[in-house]
Amino acid sequence: MKRLIIVVLLIADSLVAQAQKLTFEYNAGFGSYGMSGMKDLLGSVQPGLNQVKTIDNFPGYLTHDMRIGFEWKRHQWGYLFDYMNTAGKKGVSDYSGDYSLAMRIKGYKIGLFYRYTLADTPVGKLRLQPYLEMSSGTILNNVKMKESLHFNVSGTPTPEYTPGTEEELKFTGPNFFLAPAIGARLKLCSYAAINLSIGYEWDALKSLYLDGDKDKKLTQKADWSGFRVQGGLIFYFPLGKNNYK
């Protein structure tokens, strides 16, 4: 996979000289995440307390996607940078104290994308450009787990907590992803377009290692696989005289 990414990078760089436009893009969207391993880990922790409830169980959440690309005729290719996050939490709180286990996962995506424009259809003064897309690259995972137990020494509904016990662990590790999508650009003018797309991401999962000690790792893995919906803006900057409209 790493060799394939390097080869694709070299090919992409060789095509930059033929590009007609430079593109900058930002998309916000929503992603659903598998995270079955993380859900199993959250459920397996049993603190031996009554009425401990799961508050969050790694739901889908907002995504932020930035891209720098090049356009030549019907082709667009470039580099993407994406941010994803989700969390799981369980706990209980009453007059005697509180317990909580929080697991927050962040994913920093770095990769390449390619789009092929299927058509360029006038819509009044605008232009509609449906496309097919494929992207691939690496996700850098950051998992933070914090477990805490505090006691209410006042013995009344107005709590006065003692520090109790707290433990925090951090794990890191990469995934590789492949994400096909379909979408459309609505060209507002020669230098701006609205972008909408829907797709699916599949992750090849790797182990998560304790930060600072790769000999210790989680058996569970961070799985960002799931559907993606996003929309945003694309800005175009000409690189030559014969630009593709």
Side-chain angles (χ1 to χ4, degrees), residues 72-107:
W72 178 66
K73 295 185 178 180
R74 292 181 179 268
H75 310 278
Q76 185 187 8
W77 67 93
Y79 310 96
L80 64 86
F81 312 91
D82 202 331
Y83 171 73
M84 307 171 291
N85 76 97
T86 187
K89 186 176 181 180
K90 66 193 307 182
V92 63
S93 178
D94 60 23
Y95 70 90
S96 63
D98 69 66
Y99 165 82
S100 70
L101 171 63
M103 300 170 58
R104 176 167 291 279
I105 307 176
K106 298 179 180 180

Side-chain angles (χ1 to χ4, degrees), residues 148-203:
S148 63
L149 176 65
H150 302 100
F151 299 98
N152 178 11
V153 295
S154 69
T156 68
T158 302
E160 181 183 338
Y161 293 125
T162 60
T165 60
E166 290 189 0
E167 183 177 11
E168 184 173 302
L169 297 173
K170 295 181 180 179
F171 295 85
T172 59
N175 288 1
F176 297 105
F177 74 90
L178 187 66
I182 58 173
R185 297 179 295 258
L186 184 63
K187 292 291 288 291
L188 305 176
C189 56
S190 62
Y191 56 83
I194 296 173
N195 181 59
L196 295 172
S197 68
I198 183 171
Y200 187 88
E201 178 179 316
W202 174 81
D203 281 14

Side-chain angles (χ1 to χ4, degrees), residues 34-193:
M35 295 294 168
S36 58
M38 294 293 104
K39 292 176 182 178
D40 291 343
L41 178 59
L42 183 66
S44 68
V45 178
Q46 301 295 333
L49 300 172
N50 295 326
Q51 299 181 336
V52 175
K53 296 181 179 180
T54 298
I55 302 167
D56 288 313
N57 200 17
F58 305 99
Y61 204 65
L62 298 177
T63 62
H64 300 275
D65 176 274
M66 293 174 288
R67 304 186 182 208
I68 299 173
F70 302 91
E71 189 175 81
W72 178 66
K73 295 185 178 180
R74 292 181 179 268
H75 310 278
Q76 185 187 8
W77 67 93
Y79 310 96
L80 64 86
F81 312 91
D82 202 331
Y83 171 73
M84 307 171 291
N85 76 97
T86 187
K89 186 176 181 180
K90 66 193 307 182
V92 63
S93 178
D94 60 23
Y95 70 90
S96 63
D98 69 66
Y99 165 82
S100 70
L101 171 63
M103 300 170 58
R104 176 167 291 279
I105 307 176
K106 298 179 180 180
Y108 303 90
K109 185 188 295 184
I110 303 171
L112 302 172
F113 74 94
Y114 170 77
R115 289 173 180 159
Y116 179 77
T117 302
L118 299 173
D120 187 11
T121 306
V123 181
K125 295 183 179 181
L126 309 179
R127 306 190 74 86
L128 181 64
Q129 299 177 339
Y131 62 80
L132 299 176
E133 177 185 311
M134 182 65 71
S135 61
S136 184
T138 300
I139 301 173
L140 305 177
N141 295 301
N142 187 314
V143 180
K144 181 179 177 181
M145 301 172 57
K146 184 176 181 180
E147 188 174 27
S148 63
L149 176 65
H150 302 100
F151 299 98
N152 178 11
V153 295
S154 69
T156 68
T158 302
E160 181 183 338
Y161 293 125
T162 60
T165 60
E166 290 189 0
E167 183 177 11
E168 184 173 302
L169 297 173
K170 295 181 180 179
F171 295 85
T172 59
N175 288 1
F176 297 105
F177 74 90
L178 187 66
I182 58 173
R185 297 179 295 258
L186 184 63
K187 292 291 288 291
L188 305 176
C189 56
S190 62
Y191 56 83

